[in-house]
Amino acid sequence: RIQRRSASSSRSLLATYYLEVQIREEPPSTLSGNNLALSVATYNLNAEIINRYQSGNLTEQWQNDPVLNATSIIEFGVQEPQNQTTAYLSMINQLVIERQPGICRERSPCETQPVLIARDSAGHIITKLGSNDQPWQITATIIGSPGVGVVGGIANYSSGQSQFTTFGINATGTYQVQFSIITPRGIDSSFVTNINLTSDSSSITVALPRITAKQDVDIDVISKNEIFNLTTAIVDQKSQVKLDNIAWNTFTWSAAVSLYGSLQHQSNGILIQNLSSTVIINPQSGTITATNLAISEVGAYIIKLDITTSNNQYSIPFTSNCIIVKENSTTLNAITSSPSSNITYQGDYDKFVTAGTLETLHCTIYNYLTVVKKLPLNTNIILAKGSVNVYYEMDTGASANRSQISSGCSELASDPNGINDLVLSNLTCAGTQYTVKSSSISSSSSSSSITASNAGLIAGVVVGVCAALALLAAATYSAYKYKKLPSSKVAGQFNELYEPLERPQLGNAATTNPSNIANSSSQQ
C-alpha cells in the first residue's frame, strides 16, 4: 500500500493506492529436472524482495527514485509460494537480547538459552524476518578471546524471537558474546553495520562440562555367537545433546567392555572377543565403539562400558539396552495383535524410568521367564505402564512346549515375589488364566506389595480398564523393537572363537586388552 501527497492552495491531501504485483511460474508443458531449478529461482526471488523491504533497502531506493519519491510505502504484505495467507511485514530497527544465556558448561548447551527479539522503529516486536523457507538468522561470536568459539551458534528467527536450542561455549572461563544478524540474500553486507544490528551479552561464566554416555543405536536381537558392534556417544548430561568433539584437553579417552553382572536373574553366556576385538575412540565425532563382540548363550544381556580419561577427570559407567540373544535357527516373532500371554506386576513403572533401570528390568524379567521358568517364548517381551505390564507370546506347537508352559506358568503363579520391587498380581499364559499365590511381603514392609484381599481389585482395574490402551501401545512398540538389524550392527558369524582359559563368574566377561584399545580418530 502506497501513499501520495498532493498539494493544493488550501491544504495537503493524502491519496492511498494499493499496488499488487504477482510473480508466478507458468505451468510447465513437460515435467523435467529444470522444473526444480525454476521453483528455486522463484523462492529465491521471493526471499530477496522480502529481505529488501525488511532491511529498509527497498524503501530507501523508492525514496531516491525521481518518479516514485512523490509517494511512500506505508504497508507491505506478501503471500508466499504454497501459502494462502498474506503476512504484513515490518522493517527492522533494532536487535535486543530479551534473555541472557546462563548456566553454561564447556562444550555443552547452556541450560538457559539466549533469546533475541527484533523491533521496528516504533518499538514493536517483529514476528517474522525473511521468507518462510529462508528466515533470517542470528549468529553468536565471542568478543575479545581468540581461539574460543561457540557451539550451536546460529539460530533462525521466527515467531517473534531467535530459536537457539544448543548454544554453548567451548572453553571454561568468563566471556562476552556478540549476537548479530547474518546478512540475508540480496542485501549488501554493510546493512548490518549501518543499522547496528548487533547486541552484546553480559558476562557469561562457563564451568567444566557434566557429561555422560548414551547408546548411539539400540541392538535389540542377535543370534548366539553373532558378531556385533556397540557404539556410544558422549553427551551433555542435562540436555543429552551429543558432543561432536571430545578432544578439548590434553587427556586421552579409554574404555573397557564387559557384561553387566548385576542382573537379578542372569543367563550363563559370556562375552566373547576375538583377536580383532577392540575399542575405537573417535574424538572428533565423540563416539566410542566396542567392535567384534559376541555372546555365547541365549538369554538377555546388558553390555557395560567403563569409560575414563587419562587424567581421571571423567569416569563414566555406561550400560547398554537389553540385548536378546537367540539360537541361530530361531526366529523371534513380532507381537502384532493382542498377545495371548501377559503378566501384571504391582510396582512403580515410573520409578524404573526415572532411575534409568527399565532396560535392566527388561533383561531380568526375560531371563526369569526363559532361563528360570524355562518358558518357550518366541517373541521378545514388551514392558508397559500399568502398574508394570509384560506382554509376550510362546511357542505352543510342540507337546513338550505345552507341557513346559503348564509347569512353568504354575511355578510362576506360585512365586509372586520372583522379581525384586515387584509383586505378581495377574498371570495369563497362552490364553489360560492362572491363580496367583498371595504375596509373602506384607503391605507394611513394602510400598510395592499388596494383600490378598486387594490383589483382585487392583488386577481387575489394570486388566479391565487399561488393557486396551496398553495393548495398543504394545503392538505399536513391537513394530520398532523387532525391526531387522542393519548389517553395520551385525557383521556376521565368528569363524574362530577364543574361549578364555578360565570361565569367568556368571555375568562377568574378560575386559578388552588394553593393548587393543585405540585412541584414533581415523578409525570408525
Side-chain angles (χ1 to χ4, degrees), residues 51-130:
N51 295 341
R52 289 182 62 189
Y53 176 74
Q54 293 202 282
S55 67
N57 175 265
L58 179 61
T59 300
E60 181 182 355
Q61 290 187 340
W62 189 286
Q63 292 172 346
N64 292 335
D65 187 276
V67 176
L68 298 176
N69 63 5
T71 65
S72 59
I73 302 173
I74 60 174
E75 188 177 67
F76 192 95
V78 60
Q79 182 176 311
E80 299 192 49
Q82 308 299 321
N83 198 304
Q84 301 302 314
T85 59
T86 299
Y88 292 93
L89 307 178
S90 301
M91 287 186 289
I92 190 170
N93 178 260
Q94 187 182 24
L95 180 69
V96 297
I97 299 177
E98 181 75 5
R99 185 175 68 199
Q100 296 282 346
I103 315 178
C104 299
R105 291 182 293 275
E106 182 181 10
R107 296 181 180 273
S108 303
C110 296
E111 290 189 26
T112 302
Q113 289 289 299
V115 173
L116 290 95
I117 59 175
R119 296 185 183 275
D120 61 18
S121 57
H124 300 138
I125 295 176
I126 299 175
T127 302
K128 170 184 171 67
L129 283 174

Side-chain angles (χ1 to χ4, degrees), residues 8 29 52 70 127 135 141 159 171 195 221 245 264 266 269 292 306 341 377 386 455 503:
S8 68
S29 56
R52 289 182 62 189
T127 302
T141 54
S159 302
I195 307 181
V221 179
N245 190 337
Q264 180 191 356
Q266 303 189 82
N292 297 319
D306 290 307
S341 300
L377 271 65
R503 188 178 185 86

Side-chain angles (χ1 to χ4, degrees), residues 196-504:
N196 193 27
L197 294 180
T198 62
S199 188
D200 297 345
S201 74
S202 56
S203 294
I204 304 170
T205 299
V206 183
L208 287 171
R210 297 175 186 171
I211 57 178
T212 187
K214 180 180 179 181
Q215 193 161 340
D216 227 19
V217 180
D218 282 354
I219 303 171
D220 298 317
V221 179
I222 59 174
S223 295
K224 186 169 68 174
N225 294 331
E226 187 174 19
I227 295 175
F228 66 94
N229 298 336
L230 177 68
T231 299
T232 65
I234 302 300
V235 299
D236 173 61
Q237 190 176 63
K238 176 74 174 181
S239 65
Q240 294 292 294
V241 171
K242 180 181 176 182
L243 305 186
D244 290 332
N245 190 337
I246 59 174
W248 66 79
N249 211 322
T250 57
F251 59 70
T252 57
W253 293 84
S254 62
V257 59
S258 61
L259 283 184
Y260 178 75
S262 298
L263 295 175
Q264 180 191 356
H265 299 293
Q266 303 189 82
S267 188
N268 59 353
I270 61 172
L271 184 66
I272 303 173
Q273 301 171 72
N274 66 9
L275 295 179
S276 62
S277 299
T278 187
V279 174
I280 299 174
I281 298 174
N282 189 324
Q284 279 65 46
S285 66
T287 58
I288 299 173
T289 302
T291 68
N292 297 319
L293 306 175
I295 298 175
S296 64
E297 297 294 339
V298 298
Y301 301 87
I302 287 178
I303 305 296
K304 180 182 177 183
L305 277 176
D306 290 307
I307 304 168
T308 57
T309 56
S310 56
N311 64 350
N312 296 319
Q313 182 176 344
Y314 295 106
S315 178
I316 305 172
F318 164 80
T319 52
S320 72
N321 70 293
C322 180
I323 302 172
I324 304 300
V325 180
K326 64 179 184 64
E327 292 286 358
N328 295 323
S329 58
T330 299
T331 299
L332 291 185
N333 300 321
I335 300 176
T336 57
S337 60
S338 300
S340 61
S341 300
N342 61 81
I343 301 171
T344 298
Y345 285 105
Q346 293 306 309
D348 190 347
Y349 181 92
D350 290 332
K351 181 186 72 173
F352 293 99
V353 174
T354 302
T357 56
L358 196 61
E359 293 295 326
T360 303
L361 179 64
H362 186 140
C363 275
T364 295
I365 294 176
Y366 185 91
N367 286 334
Y368 180 60
L369 298 177
T370 60
V371 177
V372 179
K373 302 305 179 185
K374 302 187 184 306
L375 295 176
L377 271 65
N378 60 3
T379 67
N380 198 338
I381 64 171
I382 294 175
L383 303 184
K385 186 173 180 177
S387 298
V388 176
N389 286 331
V390 185
Y391 301 99
Y392 57 97
E393 293 283 8
M394 292 185 287
D395 183 1
T396 59
S399 60
N401 285 353
R402 292 193 294 272
S403 176
Q404 186 57 50
I405 289 172
S406 177
S407 60
C409 288
S410 295
E411 292 178 13
L412 185 60
S414 64
D415 185 19
N417 306 119
I419 303 295
N420 290 344
D421 298 321
L422 297 177
V423 176
L424 179 65
S425 64
N426 188 75
L427 173 63
T428 300
C429 287
T432 300
Q433 181 85 32
Y434 284 75
T435 301
V436 176
K437 179 182 177 181
S438 298
S439 170
S440 61
I441 302 177
S442 67
S443 59
S444 61
S445 62
S446 172
S447 61
S448 63
S449 64
I450 57 172
T451 63
S453 61
N454 65 17
L457 173 61
I458 297 175
V461 172
V462 171
V463 175
V465 178
C466 300
L469 292 176
L471 292 180
L472 178 61
T476 303
Y477 179 65
S478 68
Y480 165 77
K481 291 295 287 182
Y482 293 97
K483 62 183 182 294
K484 179 176 174 61
L485 293 177
S487 58
S488 61
K489 292 199 296 182
V490 180
Q493 299 291 330
F494 272 120
N495 293 322
E496 296 181 83
L497 299 180
Y498 294 83
E499 297 286 353
L501 295 178
E502 295 183 7
R503 188 178 185 86

